[in-house]
């Protein structure tokens, strides 16, 4: 490599994307426009559970500017089913979602028909004229409502149950000095990327080829799924990724529209564009969280944890979509967290309701599990009279105990172990940052009408899922470098990070690098972006390709300069020999194709870890919570770009605070979604939580990849509910209030305080 | 979320605008800043056949202060109020209330007249108008009429405005200099609609006793409301902690809010009591004993 002082990896390089975004030159799905383009709008079920008796689209078809109304009938005898991308357990197969409702609707928002028109406005006008007769069925909106199965083949609405664990939890609990059991829950909410979904599908009937622009996340997987549904060869479909305004897990999975819009384009032989509007988004995008847990902890009297038992109950909504049971499985797997708990038993129950299906959202299962466990740890520590920080310190896994196996918590996954780290050091750092010792006298204290509380939340979190990622690097004729990668860009700064890696390896200036990503046209095979894997896997693939290309460049230069490789070095896109002779990359590329493929295969996950701490005040009269200070400390192994990692962390904390205080998808008893707009679905904005801090550490690199990087996109969110809810609970402890359920809205806290007061009064 | 099919006209004079409204009967809708109407159109909750844009009408964008009161043209925006340096003195209660209205983009476009005509029960301007006995000028085909704010709003999102009438201005009575006042509002996020809000003022006589108390609420009923029972408690009294707590207790009993997805009714009822206590304490410049 070149001069160490000039390495970009590890430095806060300004994002190459920023000029484009800040100047309004981003290129998003709704910027797409081509000649002859038509617009689609989707008729979505207005009721939660019903049989469809009839659909009458004749009035719509008679309207000017309407090209087609497509229903299940037009799609054929067999309606394609959306596959399980992750954890394809056989139990879930019958609960998968057809791309359009034919005989029955199972949630408000389920597609029933699509209208294709000259404009979106005309398409929406036509939607209003389509007559549907429903035979309404009673809506299932909660666990245990089994009298109305959603699926005719099923005897009840439970899709899956399993038990997992290690050690002997029963024995541990039987012998424990102290046991406490509590029930917790996290409300249904979603990621809400600012850019809703959208795509343009273009069918070339002469060539028999389909191009879909606006794809992201797992484009190669989605192409395979789409090819099967449309009866096309995979290489007759291109999925093109352009700029993406946020993903957070929900954007880019295979949704019904990912079939319906291409189907319409092929049927009409016209380009068809569809942009999800915000109201649709709230009812159509994957919902998430919505997990309840009965959690028990068994301890010795000195606070050493002996065992943990957790029963996880997950409302999966009306269908099992691409993510299968990842949300509840991870909620169960991460219940023990970064603690030494020898005996663990967990169970998972995934049940179906007449609500929008659930998928993964940033920190799936972890956000919930950390909240459940960290809350119970505070309760146990207080019961046992042990300082809540000391309780954690005592039970955190020490570095000497790593790697620490956590096998057997997810039945469909192989053995896995927490890899490297110093959990205790990071914990102590968070205490120092929040001023734990200085502020301990504030716990629960009433000052100027508000009560203070400081809370902690520890976590460990997996990232970097395999199996593999690919990259291809090309030295262009002008001496610039093109990096193509199978990872997807979701607005997270991946182009910059991959550019840094390539720049260092090839000693080529950063501004001479162009990063192409995600599209299926770039590579034979790609795996995409989820599970905080894009740097770990995609970055390592780029590093591999860059190393190979470097060898090719040196070999070519050796031929050109007549000097052996050992006498050559690369400086600023020139190869220079010991004798002073040199040749530029451009000159080398002019005469030869200089291209290299790279790949990185790995099934060993990375485990980043950290501690969050929050200092809040609660106005006990209104229930209003103010976050006075927040610190997230995380060891990510290696931060390729500290500024980007910092931004990821701060953004994730804000998003997590939304999940604690604001975001809430609310259904009534009829299964109606009551959030129709962002006036009803509250998301945190940039000014709502002004005092947030994040410290990124690089204490222990990952041993599983050459960059040493661990997943860094989710550690900022996974412990937010844990730390914040503990802080609120600490503030309200003098009022005998305990926190079990999110969100912590002012009316809910007010109600808890009032009920606690009435209990106290009645008891007295 | 595209607008339903409709026509659009943009008259140059008030007479033309009224004529247009009359011509379309009940099928026309006046649009000013569009901050409430456009979302309703996009959600297809409203489907007029024509929009009559009053944005180009002359003389509706002024704020004028005279011996008769403070006049706001219907097209005055929240930003106009915020930027008018006179209002901090001329009507501090209004200035304080308007600081809570929505977000930047909305503040730049939303209008005083639009807010009154939309009559959202949680909106600040109708609350201030009702609290302060504002007089509203309405122009129709047969001429001009003046309506008191509390008679203007007839229920949730409904007013006395006829289909062929336009609200042209709002007059707030002049503000007395030594007046005691406060505005308290509680919303989930800054700029959101209030879960509850209190506008309060009273004057002090030579003996230090309150008179002319005006207490208005937003967000706890289908329309902004006054609390005459609380006003009666305050008038003729020295405003101290006891009076304030008594007033808040009466206020809690005087309202009957509804449950919605943002809050249960009991919360709103209690919240408005807390807000009233805080407003009156601030107006009287006293510190209430700290509750737990």
């Amino acid at each position: 490599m070149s001069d160490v002082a000039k390495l970009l990896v590890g430095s806060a390089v300004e994002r190459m994307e920023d000029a484009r975004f800040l100047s309004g030159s981003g290129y998003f799905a709704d910027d797409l426009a081509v000649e002859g383009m038509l617009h689609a709008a989707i008729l979505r079920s207005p009721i939660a559970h019903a049989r469809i008796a009839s659909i009458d689209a004749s009035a719509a078809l008679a309207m000017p500017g309407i090209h087609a109304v497509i229903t299940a009938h037009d799609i054929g005898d067999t309606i394609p089913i959306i596959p399980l991308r992750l954890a394809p357990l056989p139990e879930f197969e019958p609960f998968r979602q057809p791309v359009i409702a034919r005989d029955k609707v199972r949630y408000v928002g389920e597609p029933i028909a699509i209208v294709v028109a000259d404009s979106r406005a005309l398409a929406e006008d036509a939607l209003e004229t389509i007559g549907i007769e429903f035979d309404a069925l009673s809506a299932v909106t909660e666990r245990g409502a089994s009298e109305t199965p959603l699926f005719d083949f099923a005897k009840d609405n439970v899709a899956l149950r399993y038990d997992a664990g290690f050690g002997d939890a029963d024995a541990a609990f039987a012998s424990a000095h102290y046991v406490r059991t509590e029930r917790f829950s996290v409300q249904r909410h979603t990621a809400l990327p600012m850019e809703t979904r959208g795509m343009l599908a273009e069918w070339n009937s002469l060539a028999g080829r389909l191009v879909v622009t606006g794809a992201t996340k797992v484009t190669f997987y989605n192409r395979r799924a789409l090819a099967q549904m449309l009866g096309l060869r995979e290489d007759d479909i291109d999925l093109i990724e352009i700029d993406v305004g946020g993903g957070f897990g929900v954007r880019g999975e295979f949704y019904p529209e990912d079939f319906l819009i291409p189907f319409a384009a092929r049927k009409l032989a016209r380009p068809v564009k569809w942009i999800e509007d915000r109201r649709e988004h709230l009812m159509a995008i994957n919902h998430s969280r919505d997990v309840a847990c009965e959690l028990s902890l068994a301890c010795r009297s000195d606070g050493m944890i002996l065992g943990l038992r957790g029963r996880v109950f997950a409302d999966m909504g009306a269908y099992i979509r691409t993510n299968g049971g990842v949300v509840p499985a991870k909620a169960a797997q991460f219940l023990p967290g970064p603690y030494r708990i020898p005996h663990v038993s967990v169970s998972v129950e995934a049940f179906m309701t007449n609500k929008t299906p659930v998928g993964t959202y940033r920190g799936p299962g972890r956000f919930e599990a950390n909240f459940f466990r960290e809350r119970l740890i505070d309760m146990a520590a207080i019961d046992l009279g042990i300082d809540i920080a000391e309780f954690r310190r005592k039970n955190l896994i020490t570095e000497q105990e790593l790697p620490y196996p956590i096998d057997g918590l997810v039945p469909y996954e192989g053995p896995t172990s927490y890899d490297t780290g110093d959990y205790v050091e990071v914990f102590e750092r968070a205490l120092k940052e929040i001023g734990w010792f200085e502020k301990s006298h504030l716990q629960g204290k009433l000052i100027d009408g508000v009560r203070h509380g400081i809370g902690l939340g520890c976590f460990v979190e997996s990232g970097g899922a395999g199996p593999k990622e690919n990259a291809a690097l090309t030295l262009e004729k002008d001496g610039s470098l093109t990096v193509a990668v199978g990872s997807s860009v979701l607005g997270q700064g991946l182009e910059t990070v991959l550019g840094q890696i390539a720049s260092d390896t090839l000693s080529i200036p950063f501004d001479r690098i162009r990063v192409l990503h995600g599209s299926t046209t770039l590579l034979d095979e790609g795996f995409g972006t989820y599970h905080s894997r894009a740097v770990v896997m995609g970055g390592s693939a780029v590093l591999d390709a860059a190393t190979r290309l470097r060898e090719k460049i040196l070999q070519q230069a050796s031929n050109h300069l007549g000097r052996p490789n050992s006498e050559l070095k690369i400086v600023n896109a020139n190869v220079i020999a010991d004798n002073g002779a040199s040749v530029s990359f451009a000159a080398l590329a002019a005469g030869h194709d200089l291209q290299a493929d790279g790949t990185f295969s790995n099934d060993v996950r990375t485990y980043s870890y950290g501690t969050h701490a929050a200092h809040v005040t609660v106005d006990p009269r209104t229930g209003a919570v103010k976050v006075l200070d927040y610190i997230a400390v995380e060891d990510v192994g290696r931060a390729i770009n500290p500024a980007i990692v910092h931004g990821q962390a701060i953004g994730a904390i804000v998003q997590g605070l939304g999940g604690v205080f604001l975001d809430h998808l609310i259904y009534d008893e009829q299964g109606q979604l009551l959030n129709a707009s962002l006036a009803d679905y509250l998301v945190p904005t940039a000014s709502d939580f002004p005092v947030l801090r994040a410290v990124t550490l690089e204490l222990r690199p990952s041993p599983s990849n050459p960059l040493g990087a661990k997943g860094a996109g989710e550690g900022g969110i996974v412990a937010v509910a844990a730390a914040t809810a503990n802080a609120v609970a600490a503030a309200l402890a003098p009022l005998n209030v305990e926190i079990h359920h999110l969100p912590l809205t002012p009316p809910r806290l007010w109600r808890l305080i009032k009920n606690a007061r009435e209990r106290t009064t009645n008891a007295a | 979320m595209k607008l339903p099919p409709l026509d659009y006209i943009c008259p140059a004079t008030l007479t033309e605008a009224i004529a247009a409204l009359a011509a379309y009967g009940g099928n026309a809708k006046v649009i000013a800043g569009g901050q409430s109407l456009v979302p309703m159109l996009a959600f297809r909750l409203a489907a007029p056949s024509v929009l009559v844009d009053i944005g180009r009408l002359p003389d509706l964008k002024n704020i004028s202060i005279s011996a008769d009161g403070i006049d706001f043209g219907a097209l005055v925006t929240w930003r106009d109020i915020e930027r008018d340096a006179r209002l901090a003195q001329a009507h501090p209660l209004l200035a304080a209330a308007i600081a809570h209205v929505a977000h930047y983009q909305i503040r730049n476009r939303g209008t005083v007249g639009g807010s009154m005509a939309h009559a959202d029960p949680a909106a600040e301007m109708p609350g201030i108008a009702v609290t302060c006995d504002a007089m509203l000028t309405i122009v129709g085909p047969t001429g001009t009429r003046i309506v008191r704010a509390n008679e203007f709003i007839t229920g949730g999102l409904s007013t006395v405005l006829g289909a062929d009438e336009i609200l042209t201005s709002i007059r707030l009575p002049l503000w007395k200099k030594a007046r005691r006042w406060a505005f308290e509002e509680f919303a989930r996020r800054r700029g959101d609609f209030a879960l509850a809000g209190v506008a309060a003022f009273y004057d002090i006589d030579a003996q230090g006793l309150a008179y002319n108390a005006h207490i208005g609420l937003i967000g706890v009923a289908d329309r902004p409301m006054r609390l005459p029972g609380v006003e009666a408690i305050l008038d003729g009294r020295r405003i101290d902690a006891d009076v304030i707590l008594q007033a808040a207790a009466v206020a809690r009993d005087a309202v009957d809010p509804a449950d919605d997805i943002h809050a249960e009714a009991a919360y709103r009822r209690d919240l408005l009591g807390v807000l009233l206590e805080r407003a009156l304490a601030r107006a009287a410049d006293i510190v209430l004993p700290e509750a737990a």
Side-chain angles (χ1 to χ4, degrees), chain A residues 327-350:
Chain A
V327 171
K330 295 292 144 177
Q333 183 188 11
F334 286 97
L335 281 174
Y339 301 101
R340 181 191 318 101
I341 306 180
H343 307 286
V344 174
S345 109
V346 296
S347 69
V348 164
E349 178 183 313

Side-chain angles (χ1 to χ4, degrees), chain A residues 124 622 661 683 750-751, chain B residues 1-2 189 264 267 270:
Chain A
E124 290 189 22
T622 64
F661 295 115
V683 283
W750 174 88
R751 172 53 66 188
Chain B
M1 297 191 52
K2 301 293 180 194
R189 298 170 304 180
E264 60 171 304
Y267 175 76
D270 191 56

Side-chain angles (χ1 to χ4, degrees), chain A residues 363 366-368 370-371 459 461 612 714-722:
Chain A
R366 288 85 160 167
F367 182 87
E368 301 92 316
N370 292 328
F371 165 64
F459 73 93
E461 120 87 359
H612 290 203
E714 303 175 80
I717 198 168
V718 294
V720 175

